[in-house]
Amino acid sequence: MVEVDQLTKSYPDLLAGQFVALDHVSFSVQPGQIFGLLGPNGAGKTTALRILSTVLQPTSGIARVNGFDVTTHPYEVRHSIGFVSSNTAIYDRMTAWEMVEYFGKLYGIPNDRLTERMEKVFADLQMNEIRDVAGARMSTGMRQKVSIARAIVHDPPVLIFDEASLGLDVMVARALLDIISGLRANGKCIIFSTHIMREVERLCDRVAILYRGRILASGSLPELEDQFGEADFEELFFKLLNESDRVRIEDAHSAPTLSAAIAGSSAITAGSGI
């Protein structure tokens, strides 16, 4: 359902020449599965998800959603996904019903089918009591439900949650996780980006740990625990990050610096009499 192969995204950088946000990232996600993309802020999670949602173009590599390439078939990809983040916009003057209806019309759903679909979504998400509440009067939990409703109104096979629980209180966050579990039970293919270990442990069938644009490890939680000999997943996570930093520092120290290379070149030139 989602295939990512050697996905790379880099940007020009005045100091480093290139800043690599994603470095040959590969993973796949199947229907009825929650795939956790786990990493600290700046790891590259949002960059990967923006490429999958066609907001960004990859520098190299391949990403397919529902069989469609994100670069060559962006229209089909957008109709195959629902995207929920922690800062999805909610319009203050529109009611919950009006907002979801508006996005359903943007997806080209005929009016009769749209009304039927909205009735189901509002019932499933227990939103009927807020259907006439304007965005300006919504609580955080209400807003997040509307964000999810507008993301699933067109019944997409793939759902992307990018740090969707960020800033939510404990009750609202719990309700969000229950909703996502229900979507998995309905056969949805779900990518769940977070840096909260508890959410990963509760939800995810498989996980990839992303750090500095690279995947350090991937698999189910039991597989990762067996592979690295660490039963506590939070300890495993930080162990991998610290090891990655240690190797990076050692590589930087062992590589010749630019000034050393210039000095060595000057010495050779002077010795040769040139």
Side-chain angles (χ1 to χ4, degrees), residues 154-175:
H154 58 300
D155 199 20
V158 177
L159 291 165
I160 297 173
F161 290 84
D162 183 18
E163 303 279 10
S165 64
L166 190 67
L168 300 182
D169 68 43
V170 63
M171 296 300 294
V172 176
R174 183 182 178 87

Side-chain angles (χ1 to χ4, degrees), residues 5 16 25 30 43 70-71 78 94 121 142 168 190 194 210 217 271:
D5 185 25
V25 167
Q30 301 304 316
V70 298
T71 302
R78 291 170 197 148
M94 296 177 74
V121 168
M142 292 176 185
L168 300 182
I190 299 171
T194 184
L210 189 67

Side-chain angles (χ1 to χ4, degrees), residues 1-3 62-70 72-73 76-77 80 157-158:
M1 190 64 71
V2 174
E3 302 170 272
I62 297 170
R64 296 188 185 94
V65 175
N66 201 26
F68 299 109
D69 188 285
V70 298
T72 59
H73 292 85
E76 290 83 356
V77 169
S80 299
V158 177

Side-chain angles (χ1 to χ4, degrees), residues 79 81-84 96-111 113-122 125 127 145-159 183 188:
H79 277 69
I81 65 172
F83 196 104
V84 181
W97 186 268
E98 289 169 340
M99 273 183 274
V100 178
E101 182 180 47
Y102 172 67
F103 280 89
K105 289 180 178 180
L106 288 179
Y107 281 109
I109 305 174
N111 287 337
R113 279 183 48 214
L114 178 57
T115 300
E116 180 182 342
R117 175 63 183 162
M118 287 178 61
E119 291 288 359
K120 180 177 182 351
V121 168
F122 271 66
L125 297 181
M127 292 175 56
K145 280 191 174 184
V146 173
S147 295
I148 295 171
R150 59 181 261 191
I152 67 174
V153 66
H154 58 300
D155 199 20
V158 177
L159 291 165
L183 292 168
K188 299 299 183 184

